[in-house]
Amino acid sequence: MQEYQIRTDLALEATESVRKNASEDIRGINIEEYDVLDGVHVTKVEIASKNASKSLRKPMGKYFTLEAPELQEYDDDFHAQISKEIALLLKSILPDNDEEDSVLVVGLGNRDVTADALGPFTVDNLYITRHIIKEYGKDAYHNSKIKQISALIPGVMAKTGMETVEIIKGVISETKPDVIIIIDALAARSVKRLNRTVQITDTGIHPGSGVGNYRQALTDENLGVPVIAIGIPMVVDAGTIVCDALEKVSKEYAGAKESLNFIRNNSNLQLNNMYVTTKNIDETTKRLSFTLSEAINMALEI
Amino acid sequence: MQEYQIRTDLALEATESVRKNASEDIRGINIEEYDVLDGVHVTKVEIASKNASKSLRKPMGKYFTLEAPELQEYDDDFHAQISKEIALLLKSILPDNDEEDSVLVVGLGNRDVTADALGPFTVDNLYITRHIIKEYGKDAYHNSKIKQISALIPGVMAKTGMETVEIIKGVISETKPDVIIIIDALAARSVKRLNRTVQITDTGIHPGSGVGNYRQALTDENLGVPVIAIGIPMVVDAGTIVCDALEKVSKEYAGAKESLNFIRNNSNLQLNNMYVTTKNIDETTKRLSFTLSEAINMALEI
Amino acid sequence: MQEYQIRTDLALEATESVRKNASEDIRGINIEEYDVLDGVHVTKVEIASKNASKSLRKPMGKYFTLEAPELQEYDDDFHAQISKEIALLLKSILPDNDEEDSVLVVGLGNRDVTADALGPFTVDNLYITRHIIKEYGKDAYHNSKIKQISALIPGVMAKTGMETVEIIKGVISETKPDVIIIIDALAARSVKRLNRTVQITDTGIHPGSGVGNYRQALTDENLGVPVIAIGIPMVVDAGTIVCDALEKVSKEYAGAKESLNFIRNNSNLQLNNMYVTTKNIDETTKRLSFTLSEAINMALEI
Amino acid sequence: MQEYQIRTDLALEATESVRKNASEDIRGINIEEYDVLDGVHVTKVEIASKNASKSLRKPMGKYFTLEAPELQEYDDDFHAQISKEIALLLKSILPDNDEEDSVLVVGLGNRDVTADALGPFTVDNLYITRHIIKEYGKDAYHNSKIKQISALIPGVMAKTGMETVEIIKGVISETKPDVIIIIDALAARSVKRLNRTVQITDTGIHPGSGVGNYRQALTDENLGVPVIAIGIPMVVDAGTIVCDALEKVSKEYAGAKESLNFIRNNSNLQLNNMYVTTKNIDETTKRLSFTLSEAINMALEI
């Protein structure tokens, strides 16, 4: 039983206890794990029942996760391989290819806040085709499988005065995409996930998730179109890191448990509005956004 | 009679012959001119008849122009004064205050192309209120006159795959603003206008105008809401500058006229996709966008 | 007695125990404190003896600190007032005005790493005069008190392949400034210092200090010219924040002490290369660098 | 005989008449031309006598030029091939490999002015080794041929208050490089050179050259170390483009000649401080700087 609420956007972290303890079999959770490259691990979690959804506090649906510690390194070849693996996962979670022909990619977040810029930066590098196909047809690309790709960077509410969902709904009503892919920077619970874990889900984006947070859901149900969300953890809440550290030692020392409770209830720590990032986050955001945009370009047959 | 088409987004340039020649009175054009500060000139042109519109190749409506050669200088106090004058012009062209309460400001152009970044940069500095008023009411600002201000940077078609008009229409249908203010970088005919002329018009934005160009009109008629457009010339087409120079000498030398015709029909000049800018355009775009955003903030009672 | 090493670039934090406990009078430390504005506190610490220097682990010299919690807010008028106060402190620590006439301002750090960009951004906004005075004399400014101001952004070793001290020494040998002012982003021990504390010292910059760290001292002794260093804490090491939290509770719970020791010796926390920042660090770095550059401009009679 | 002074930083343009007219053989000019790839042309000009230097208004030395119209296109593979060809030219003009072991690369220009940012952006992408080799020896790279590479972005005089030559001299005196490679954005005479011509010369940089201009020579003679300069034309002076167009028609129409003279002497054109660039200069500067940095990395055995 969980005693307190930990903020994580990763289903992988939410399912950790389940995965660790094979005997603790929860009905309605299907987990498949395998390595795709040396040191690159894929986990496919499907939350298939309401009970499972409730106990994990995550909506029903598929969550694919790729973990690659070396994503932090600056190796172009490795990043290219990872793009390919992400593309495969993305293709397998996209609705059936024949039914959807136009894709709107949305980059959430604030390009002026490094930790929140993954979405806008990813969209900057996408290959956009919709306007060309609208004007000249698919012949322009000599590729009948090519999709109509459009992209949007809606901006954050503090700068637009509008809910993200209002902007996206409006653009959907005018341009009628068949599917939406949303990119967003995530918050993780553990520093070991930072900048090295990619999550792809068909459950969309939910209130309170992401670095910038959202007040209204960006989901199939709310937008009327299938929504795939891709995210990478870029920050950990500073409060979380303290609790995390204490939890680790609480197995060894009784006093840590008390400390933990004290800290959780102690606003004097002034850790609100603080977060933990890697020192090279500016460079990392650029690299990871490029890796994601290449993956999307590949998945959409460009 | 004009022999060839000159590209200008400025009504001021289009009406130059009319204004110069007082005797050449065209019906349906009302012109009012005055100085607001030392060296700062305001021209209010109203094109009030279809004939006038046709002969000037500009839509019917109001065009307010503020000319300030010193806008190129880096004088904060002067820029603050100009913001105030622009605010006054903007207020006088906005629909009656009591009728409109919510304003959507749209920054056209591409933030990654310096000459086309005026719109996005202006929106970056706006004071946004809609989301606050929606949640807490106007009491949050202790100002009953304050408007609901929202803002959008739609991006350019090459990067979105969507017509700008599609994105704006969609956002209007969801957020129902009472009036739209659009900011855009303009192309002028003469280098002497660059970075020092501000045009405010209630005629919106028309296909082919702006540095980035647009294929569909952003007008009251097309969007269903009053549209005010604010623009500053940031470039002159390189071809125009050659023709402009030749025209100047053509009054003196017969040969220049022939040269002019030759050049206009000569693709070997390779001046397509070239433009003329001031050397300090990067700095200038930042300053002018700030001057505009301050003007808009003032006009909307912030 | 301190049991473990805490990283802080602030003399204010190093002297905290001394200041709290008036009875614990250490010879060779002179402390003067006063408020300059509502909520703005100035502390002048002088470490005047070798013993004091040793016990505080800070070089002998003057450390002026201005604390202003509201520096985090976006109030232009308040920032302008703070610039003025910083200018006064800077003037009082600069060598006697009549002796020095040329000042080299150096912006340390990496402009591509937000948390380390304070120095370069500050230099971007300085008023530079040396080249004008060299060519036209001080008459160009109608101000006989004006100094010859030059500025340098040396870059970080990973990008230059050179020690910062090599670059600065070289430039000094060619341009012979009378005094050097160095701007750098600092690391603090406590989140409550972040973005709201300005330290001005005549002791220069020492190895291991700053967000980017330096391997060789940038001091009067090493450079042959008086060196004034101005810094603002922009990050806290992630490890520090955990220790800090535990220390707080250790007064209440015995177990916390053990936890603290465990954590300090536990590399599994993976907190290396992680730091804690405020969420709005991108915006904050821009504002604070402007506040500093205005202060320097004022102090140097611009 | 040249009637008027045309500003060009390209020896290729200065020697155009010589190259066109094979019969007009000037002693002391050696020209070699060949294609290296489809559509990629290399010209090696050596100005070997004082007379030749005087008649071409270019210093004695080697000027290698690579012309590739497709450099304007966004083809990564093509840019990679060009990097390789530039690397070969650079290697062949560098002083004998065994003698020089440490290289200082200098990126001239202003990173905040797009047309002048080629130098700083190129340096941003270099592989820097000096600090590693100083600390760990060449074994760190398992490559005995690797050079000690350092890099400097001196900034422009308006922002530093120092002559570029002062900063470079100072850094040379401290770090003793064996050779200097300087990168700079050039001005061309003809728009057809823009963004597609790379010049490599062992004559350094001379007063008045480059987009930002320099007041003092950056040459072997002045700096005491061999200086290789690499440049790409990023702008054409706006006045030049008008003269260029008129010159073209002057062969056809007598009047154009008169016009040309008139324009040259006519300050009313207000073309000072104006330049002509391609519309996509922001993107182009990024791409070309990357192509150059890759070339330098290759040439220096990285």
Side-chain angles (χ1 to χ4, degrees), chain B residues 215-226:
Chain B
R215 305 202 304 191
Q216 292 182 27
L218 304 172
T219 55
D220 188 340
E221 197 184 347
N222 215 354
L223 296 175
V225 199

Side-chain angles (χ1 to χ4, degrees), chain A residues 33-46:
Chain A
E33 296 189 57
Y34 54 90
D35 286 352
V36 286
L37 294 167
D38 191 30
V40 180
H41 193 72
V42 167
T43 309
K44 294 183 168 186
V45 173
E46 184 169 9

Side-chain angles (χ1 to χ4, degrees), chain D residues 279-297:
Chain D
K279 292 202 174 167
N280 57 356
I281 185 168
D282 301 74
E283 182 72 23
T284 302
T285 303
K286 276 185 210 156
R287 290 196 170 252
L288 290 178
S289 63
F290 186 74
T291 303
L292 282 192
S293 61
E294 285 293 278
I296 297 170
N297 286 341

